[in-house]
Amino acid sequence: MAENTAADASTAATPATATPGSPSHPSDPPRPDLAAMVVPLGRTLMAAEQPILDAHGLTMWGYVVLLHLDEKPIRTQAALAEAVRADKTRIIPVLDDLEARGLLRRQPDPEDRRARLLSLTAEGRHLRDATQAAIQEGEEHLLARLPAADREGFLRGLRTLHDLSGQP
């Protein structure tokens, strides 16, 4: 028995040296790749968001644009496209629609009249906030399935990975 205890202690000390994807304990199955876990979750979350977006009269891209326009105007359509990781040709019809609906403004930049400053209108801000609140209310039901400590750790880790994903 003493030998088993020493072996168990030795095994317990080795998870830090385990190779990525390998089990941390010999009886644990290897974990799935991150994309294999995140992509299905992302699809599930997007499917849950779609009825909310529909109810608020927004497309997914329209919502993404509203989320990225804050109190400070974005200087160009190209800068916004880069920020939301979309092709700038894809974003133009989205901007046209949001502007026609009075949700955002495109104004000449006083420093460079060729450039346009993009900003939310009060109505755009209200729609963005209402849509986000409804989406996050639905997310709360999913997150409530996790114990509080796991939930906090999951959200903290997800924020960190999200922030890192924007870096080269």
Side-chain angles (χ1 to χ4, degrees):
M1 289 248 176
E3 289 178 18
N4 286 346
T5 305
D8 290 345
S10 168
T11 303
T14 59
T17 60
T19 58
S22 68
S24 58
H25 189 275
S27 64
D28 292 343
R31 71 161 175 80
D33 295 343
L34 292 176
M37 292 186 286
V38 172
V39 169
L41 175 60
R43 288 184 180 137
T44 299
L45 293 171
M46 287 173 61
E49 286 181 9
Q50 194 58 57
I52 296 166
L53 295 173
D54 292 344
H56 288 87
L58 287 171
T59 64
M60 186 67 71
W61 279 111
Y63 180 58
V64 168
V65 166
L66 293 179
L67 284 175
H68 278 82
L69 291 175
D70 216 338
E71 302 307 316
K72 181 179 171 191
I74 291 183
R75 186 151 187 269
T76 66
Q77 294 172 170
L80 176 63
E82 186 178 323
V84 300
R85 296 183 179 168
D87 184 85
K88 63 183 170 182
T89 59
R90 167 178 267 195
I91 214 77
I92 291 170
V94 174
L95 295 174
D96 290 344
D97 175 62
L98 295 173
E99 184 179 34
R101 294 172 54 198
L103 302 172
L104 68 82
R105 273 186 298 275
R106 290 190 262 197
Q107 299 172 301
D109 183 341
E111 295 176 20
D112 180 356
R113 306 237 355 123
R114 296 168 295 169
R116 300 278 180 208
L117 295 175
L118 306 172
S119 60
L120 283 179
T121 63
E123 187 177 339
R125 192 172 297 105
H126 174 73
L127 181 61
R128 177 202 61 196
D129 294 348
T131 304
Q132 187 173 40
I135 287 171
Q136 290 186 357
E137 182 180 326
E139 291 171 348
E140 289 300 319
H141 294 292
L142 178 65
L143 290 169
R145 296 178 180 177
L146 296 174
D150 290 349
R151 177 183 174 157
E152 290 173 28
F154 172 73
L155 290 173
R156 188 172 42 255
L158 196 56
R159 280 188 198 106
T160 300
L161 291 173
H162 173 266
D163 293 346
L164 292 173
S165 71
Q167 298 177 4

